[in-house]
Amino acid sequence: MSDKKIFIFDTTLRDGEQVPGCKLNTREKIELALQLEALGVDIIEAGFPISSPGDFQSVEEIAKIVKNATVCGLSRAVQKDIEVAAAALKPARRPRIHTGIGTSDSHIKNKFNSTREEIIERAVQAVKWAKNFVDDVEFYAEDAGRTDNDYLARVVEAVIRAGATVVNIPDTTGYCLPDQYGEKIAFLMNHVPNIDKAILSCHCHNDLGLATANSIAGIVSGARQIECTINGLGERAGNTSLEEVVMVIKQHKQLGFYTDINAKELNPMSRLVSDTMRMPVQPNKAIVGANAFSHSSGIHQDGFLKDASTYEIINPEEVGADGSKIVLTARSGRSALAFRLQKIGYSYNRNDIDTIYQTFLQVADTKKEVMEEDLHTIAKAYNETTVTA
Ligand code: KIV
Ligand code: ZN
């Protein structure tokens, strides 16, 4: 069973915090880190210590306070970056340095004006340098999604030989299709001779809306860590959403995987991140969006009211959501109207509902949503006509 555990590496405080407008101060980062630990994440990427004195301080304070999770700091494959990350992580019980370099030809030529051989050398030197400070070193092959697989296998083999415990295969630009990303991981599992000495990690961006699917394809092919963020926050279109991968794994038991995430904390965590970062969650966001458990069309409402499983694959309580909602709009049906009226104290028979429904539709056509006060008005008007009739 142990090889089926998927390690959840949360990067809300690093990749997520890179979102314009989402910057966090040290106090906010500490609060979120403690909640991430309570949620059950295995690794917290707390920041990029060399990027600013404030981020150094945040990583250091999180390293002091977090008890069980591994605390990770990002660096480039640069000695000074690694030294600064190591200094920030010094108080951590379980420190991890995350270092790396671009490996795609585009990064090698356009970013580094370098060669494939030189990049392997820099990667190896970075891992070796980081090993002087911590045992747990994760290497990222930036833009691995667009890196030639044969070359990537050579990079992965070299960094594992240099001591990397985890090798991150980022689809930095969110370019890959799920089968391509899955095949990339499978290729590495089958062609890197020392792959048993490290675990592979999926770090997928969402530029084509495929981050969750790609991460799942990655673990099916042999990766054992997923890098993700609360609410899918991250550069550009974001990162893999933590709540999505956790619930895919939980819902699809046939995959045989598990995580240590306490799913009941997913919605509270999502709200905390949204409030702290002042970044609203899109209403239709899976698992944590305001509409994730709302039913508004008549056909769905009728089925849901007969048996929730007809239109819900997750019990909202399982993920700490407020509960299922029957929302009334001009597309809603009689069952939903009767249900909502009953909830606020009006019980009617089928004939009454047939009549009230006509008034309801007239109101509904003028509004986005029919609210409780509208229902009171509709019900009171109907009750008056029936009393005077
Ligand atoms: O997307 C990416 O490649 C990254 C690396 C720094 C891990 O965020
Ligand atoms: Zn990233």
Side-chain angles (χ1 to χ4, degrees), residues 27 42 98 127 134 139 188 197 240 242 260 349 355 371:
R27 185 187 51 75
D42 300 287
H98 190 190
V127 172
V134 294
F139 176 82
L188 297 173
K197 308 261 180 329
T240 301
L242 181 148
D260 286 339
N349 64 29
T355 312
M371 310 305 283

Side-chain angles (χ1 to χ4, degrees), residues 11 14-15 18 170 172 203 205 235 239:
T11 183
R14 200 279 295 169
D15 220 324
Q18 289 172 205
T172 305
H203 178 114
H205 278 267
E235 282 277 354
N239 285 62

Side-chain angles (χ1 to χ4, degrees), residues 187-207:
F187 184 88
L188 297 173
M189 293 299 293
N190 294 326
H191 291 84
V192 175
N194 53 359
I195 197 70
D196 58 316
K197 308 261 180 329
I199 68 168
L200 292 182
S201 180
C202 310
H203 178 114
C204 299
H205 278 267
N206 207 29
D207 300 65

Side-chain angles (χ1 to χ4, degrees), residues 119-316:
I119 290 297
I120 293 190
E121 187 49 30
R122 284 171 72 172
V124 165
Q125 290 314 322
V127 172
K128 284 190 174 161
W129 192 244
K131 284 297 258 194
N132 291 323
F133 305 99
V134 294
D135 290 333
D136 191 4
V137 174
E138 175 169 338
F139 176 82
Y140 63 86
E142 196 181 9
D143 204 15
R146 293 186 300 171
T147 299
D148 167 64
N149 283 348
D150 288 312
Y151 175 65
L152 187 60
R154 288 182 54 214
V155 174
V156 173
E157 182 183 351
V159 296
I160 294 175
R161 209 178 317 112
T165 45
V166 180
V167 185
N168 179 9
I169 309 299
D171 183 20
T172 305
T173 58
Y175 171 76
C176 289
L177 292 169
D179 60 348
Q180 286 175 326
Y181 190 75
E183 279 161 20
K184 190 172 282 289
I185 298 292
F187 184 88
L188 297 173
M189 293 299 293
N190 294 326
H191 291 84
V192 175
N194 53 359
I195 197 70
D196 58 316
K197 308 261 180 329
I199 68 168
L200 292 182
S201 180
C202 310
H203 178 114
C204 299
H205 278 267
N206 207 29
D207 300 65
L208 293 172
L210 293 170
T212 295
N214 285 348
S215 299
I216 298 298
I219 59 172
V220 167
S221 295
R224 286 294 174 267
Q225 176 176 286
I226 295 181
E227 308 196 2
C228 45
T229 59
I230 302 296
N231 300 334
L233 292 168
E235 282 277 354
R236 305 181 310 280
N239 285 62
T240 301
S241 145
L242 181 148
E243 53 278 7
E244 291 175 14
V245 287
V246 165
M247 290 314 292
V248 171
I249 289 170
K250 203 154 187 272
Q251 289 299 112
H252 286 275
K253 300 225 174 347
Q254 79 281 8
L255 296 174
F257 299 123
Y258 72 97
T259 72
D260 286 339
I261 297 296
N262 174 7
K264 275 196 166 32
E265 293 299 326
L266 288 174
N267 269 272
M269 186 80 231
S270 161
R271 280 194 292 270
L272 181 66
V273 167
S274 170
D275 292 348
T276 312
M277 289 188 164
R278 287 161 221 92
M279 182 57 68
V281 177
Q282 72 191 63
N284 58 324
K285 172 80 183 59
I287 322 295
V288 295
N291 291 342
F293 301 100
S294 294
H295 306 274
S296 77
S297 88
I299 296 170
H300 288 217
Q301 291 170 331
D302 186 52
F304 172 80
L305 289 170
K306 286 174 178 147
D307 185 333
S309 72
T310 54
Y311 285 99
E312 274 185 2
I313 58 162
I314 298 169
N315 178 343

Side-chain angles (χ1 to χ4, degrees), residues 54-98:
D55 217 33
F56 180 93
Q57 192 195 4
S58 297
V59 176
E60 192 178 38
E61 294 303 321
I62 290 170
K64 284 181 196 160
I65 211 160
V66 163
K67 290 193 181 65
N68 301 314
T70 294
V71 179
C72 178
L74 186 77
S75 75
R76 293 165 296 182
V78 171
Q79 281 199 358
K80 182 74 182 154
D81 277 37
I82 294 167
E83 286 159 18
V84 172
L89 291 168
K90 209 166 176 63
R93 288 181 173 85
R94 294 189 175 83
R96 178 183 293 181
I97 293 177
H98 190 190

